[in-house]
Amino acid sequence: ARACRRASTLRQPVAASTLVRGELDAAEAAGRACRELLDDLGGAKPTCVLWFAKGYGTRSEPVGKSFEESFSNAVVVGANSEGGLIGEGAETQVETFALSALALAMPN
């Protein structure tokens, strides 16, 4: 995961993104993405988390639950995609399974 901007206080937005490639298990991919985002946010609490899952179809149900549990105070929005995904400054179109997520911590 890559932090886009870090701030010691939330006077400025803080963002982090991640792209998990090749993980066959949607719950494992989501757990890894959540851990990477939490680490890169450096203690900032996200207000919004966006995720996109590629290749999981109906097996992506645990993804939303993982993000909602990890970021309980954030608005969590996600969707399945069969096209390419962008995250962590990279794009993926070739991998069958991928999960992209963006977490934003906005000042009050």
Side-chain angles (χ1 to χ4, degrees), residues 47-84:
T47 52
C48 180
V49 178
L50 307 171
W51 62 265
F52 300 92
K54 177 180 187 282
Y56 296 106
T58 58
R59 295 179 300 140
S60 67
E61 185 178 336
V63 175
K65 290 179 183 178
S66 292
F67 282 104
E68 289 171 355
E69 289 173 4
S70 294
F71 305 104
S72 59
N73 292 325
V75 173
V76 177
V77 179
N80 289 315
S81 169
E82 293 308 317

